[in-house]
């Protein structure tokens, strides 16, 4: 589950990570009130107006603007709220902005130059360890840094059993070229950041840029946070931060009926039980010359109601040209699934306009094939994986 910048910063602050402070506003009036409050709290007279959408690169798309007085705050907030923000990370249509963060200006002049760093904490599944990735090249597209100057990206592996150790925090601050107050601030920053990552059950905390201010404070200017969905049951305060408007509407609907669904770009819808089989089925579709339109795991109880719900979800994607149902009957009996498919098809009337290929394997597979073949419906049955692949190829050509 992804969060907005302001929510990520809220979590950071709760773990003692210094942040660029800000207040959320939904309209220009609220923006001005927020700016006044910030002045009272921080003394700042300049503000940054930041679009709150689930996409990076907002600065490039015109979603982050500096305001030097309250009139500009009102004007800029009015322009950004309601706009369709197009950034390198959104689709061509962009994302509608519903709210902005009014933040204190932290790039003020002072005794030293400001500098921007990159820092993220994430999980390295291959190694089974957490990683702190960091770079002196902050504020830019980190993918570009990785491509052109990979030697400027450092990684620090962290054993989850010990957590980030003090010597590691010092090494990070040293590699970033810091000394004195900024060095100490950075060790505190990364230590608290790591703690925030672990204790919020996150997959990722990405801070780009981390800023060294002109008076040598280290703070988070941006925050991209993704919380592990599987941990939300024990992180209720973060689960409540979910903003459904930012998510794919089909995925939201699928989640509401308990289906594990991920929208993809292809043309063949798939309905499968079990995540492993779903992955194999997506490979099969590719090998047959198609592209999967989705990942959908219906889970263990593939009864008629569930099958129907899954069909409805898959068919919401207008790109779907065929549906491949691939069910292994282990606990669930294939003949019951087959009956479920036939019933769902009949219930849905003529809303299914694309060919369906059904492969049922396992308990009572032969009986299931009979049910499908004798149903009189436009459903192709297959028993073997290869057969199913050939049928997908056939209906796509
Ligand atoms: P992103 O473009 O979506 O990654 O949004 P960021 O929060 O990273 O902001 C984009 C850029 O805005 C940063 O890299 C900064 O250069 C700039 N910016 C952010 N906060 C301030 C600020 O307080 N003052 C000034 N002058 N620029 C800022
Ligand atoms: Mn950023």
């Amino acid at each position: 589950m992804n969060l907005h910048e302001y929510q990520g910063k809220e979590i950071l602050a709760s773990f003692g990570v210094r942040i660029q402070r800000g207040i959320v506003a939904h309209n220009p009036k609220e923006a001005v009130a927020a700016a006044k409050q910030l002045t009272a709290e921080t003394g700042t007279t300049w503000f940054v107006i930041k679009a709150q959408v689930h996409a990076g690169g907002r600065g490039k798309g015109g979603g982050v603007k500096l305001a030097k007085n309250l009139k500009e705050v009102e004007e800029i907030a009015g322009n950004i709220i309601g706009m369709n923000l197009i950034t390198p990370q959104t689709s061509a249509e962009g994302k509608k902005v519903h709210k902005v963060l009014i933040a204190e200006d932290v790039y003020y002049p002072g005794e030293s130059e400001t500098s921007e760093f990159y820092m993220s904490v994430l999980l390295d599944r291959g190694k089974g360890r957490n990683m702190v990735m960091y770079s002196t090249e902050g504020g830019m597209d980190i993918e570009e840094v990785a491509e052109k100057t990979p030697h400027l990206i450092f990684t620090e592996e962290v054993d989850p059993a010990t957590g980030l150790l003090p010597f590691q925090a010092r090494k990070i601050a040293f590699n970033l070229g810091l000394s004195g107050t900024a060095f100490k601030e950075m060790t505190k920053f990364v230590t608290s950041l790591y703690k925030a990552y672990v204790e919020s059950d996150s997959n990722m905390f990405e801070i780009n840029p981390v800023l060294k201010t002109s008076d040598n404070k280290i703070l988070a200017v941006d925050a991209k946070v993704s919380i592990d969905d599987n941990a939300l049951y024990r992180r209720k305060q973060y689960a409540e931060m979910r903003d459904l408007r930012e998510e794919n509407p089909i995925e939201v609907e699928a989640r509401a009926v308990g289906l594990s669904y991920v929208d993809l770009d292809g043309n063949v819808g798939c309905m499968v039980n079990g995540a492993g089989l779903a992955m194999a089925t997506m490979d099969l579709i590719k090998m047959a010359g198609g592209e999967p339109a989705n990942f959908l795991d219906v889970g263990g109880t593939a009864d008629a109601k569930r099958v129907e719900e899954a069909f409805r979800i898959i068919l919401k994607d207008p790109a779907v040209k065929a549906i491949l149902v691939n069910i292994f009957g282990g606990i669930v009996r294939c003949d019951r699934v087959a009956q479920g498919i036939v019933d769902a098809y009949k219930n849905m009337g003529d809303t299914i306009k694309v060919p369906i290929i059904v492969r049922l394997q396992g308990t009572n597979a032969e009986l299931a094939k009979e049910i499908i073949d004798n149903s009189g419906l436009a459903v192709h049955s297959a028993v073997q994986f290869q057969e199913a692949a050939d049928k997908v190829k056939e209906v796509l050509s």
Side-chain angles (χ1 to χ4, degrees), residues 38 130 159 174 229 243:
L38 276 177
N130 294 315
D159 185 335
F174 179 81
D229 281 311
D243 186 347

Side-chain angles (χ1 to χ4, degrees), residues 228-245:
D228 188 341
D229 281 311
N230 297 311
L232 289 174
Y233 75 95
R234 63 178 190 186
R235 302 288 177 207
K236 296 262 167 14
Q237 76 273 37
Y238 304 141
E240 281 166 13
M241 289 178 168
R242 191 183 281 280
D243 186 347
L244 293 178
R245 285 185 301 199

Side-chain angles (χ1 to χ4, degrees), residues 58 208-209 222:
R58 293 164 302 163
N208 189 21
D222 195 3

